[in-house]
Amino acid sequence: MSDAIDKPVPFLTDPTGREHLLNGATTTIGRALENDIVITSKRVSREHARLRRDGWRVMLEDLESTNGTFLNDERVLEPVALHDGDRIKIGDVVLTFHDPDITYRDTHFPSLEVDVAAGTVRLDRHAVALSSKEFTLLAYLYEHSGQVCSKDDIAAAVWPEYQAEVYDYQIENLMRRLRTKLEPDPANPQMLLTVRGLGYKLVRRG
């Protein structure tokens, strides 16, 4: 028997809870009745967006719509791969992407984006709110990705205003709070790693 027969199919849910299976090579969304998913709104273009299967991934692309396609509140400017739980906004309608096959694949490694100049952080394309010190610590580790950063270097970067010594517990508590906001399992971090006796290291996907 083929393993593909019962393979779970990714799908979208609309605000009513209805499921739209993505079992074809492409799925189109728009106002015209010819689309696979029809949204009857003046804010939606006739051919608004398209979902395309690319191996196990599902790609979302905007079809030069008038009002744009938004993924997790960010406008889609080029084809982008979807992750389980992503929110797609078309007009005033929000569709949620579900990937039931995710548990059969490798453990998801978080995608972290830090814009130091803008002071913004995104985890799997979702905005994350950090305190000033949390952001300063993350920005320092991000700029030194893949390198071990000693506690002395972190203290100087995060607490430049301190003339006295910065204690280990201050750094450890700040790292603990940062992991709570960024790591799927803070007790078993994937990105913010402790290097025993040396310091900390940020590991980024790719």
Side-chain angles (χ1 to χ4, degrees), residues 148-159:
V148 178
C149 300
S150 70
K151 288 185 176 180
D152 287 343
D153 290 338
I154 289 173
V158 179
W159 288 274

Side-chain angles (χ1 to χ4, degrees), residues 27-46:
T27 300
T28 57
I29 305 173
R31 194 175 72 249
L33 295 178
E34 294 78 15
N35 289 286
D36 298 297
I37 300 177
V38 179
I39 301 177
T40 55
S41 168
K42 292 182 179 179
R43 292 182 52 79
V44 177
S45 299
R46 289 182 57 80

Side-chain angles (χ1 to χ4, degrees), residues 79-198:
V80 60
L82 295 177
H83 298 146
D84 185 62
D86 276 348
R87 294 172 292 104
I88 303 167
K89 186 175 182 181
I90 295 178
D92 297 319
V93 175
V94 176
L95 303 166
T96 303
F97 176 72
H98 302 272
D99 184 4
D101 194 32
I102 192 169
T103 56
Y104 298 98
R105 294 201 288 270
D106 293 337
T107 301
H108 170 65
F109 192 90
S111 175
L112 179 67
E113 304 169 53
V114 179
D115 188 330
V116 177
T120 59
V121 176
R122 288 189 171 279
L123 184 68
D124 288 336
R125 299 195 294 266
H126 293 270
V128 179
L130 300 179
S131 69
S132 175
K133 291 300 184 186
E134 290 166 352
F135 181 82
T136 302
L137 172 57
L138 179 60
Y140 180 78
L141 294 172
Y142 191 84
E143 290 177 341
H144 298 82
S145 294
Q147 303 175 32
V148 178
C149 300
S150 70
K151 288 185 176 180
D152 287 343
D153 290 338
I154 289 173
V158 179
W159 288 274
E161 72 278 12
Y162 276 27
Q163 300 299 319
E165 179 182 0
V166 175
Y167 296 101
D168 284 358
Y169 79 86
Q170 293 173 278
I171 299 173
E172 292 162 1
N173 287 341
L174 185 61
M175 178 62 73
R176 188 176 300 112
R177 295 200 301 270
L178 193 57
R179 282 174 173 158
T180 299
K181 293 185 177 181
L182 297 179
E183 295 282 1
D185 181 4
N188 297 286
Q190 296 174 270
M191 297 180 294
L192 300 166
L193 306 182
T194 298
V195 182
R196 296 296 178 188
L198 296 176

Side-chain angles (χ1 to χ4, degrees), residues 41-55:
S41 168
K42 292 182 179 179
R43 292 182 52 79
V44 177
S45 299
R46 289 182 57 80
E47 294 182 346
H48 197 106
R50 176 167 53 216
L51 298 169
R52 173 173 52 84
R53 297 291 294 271
D54 180 12

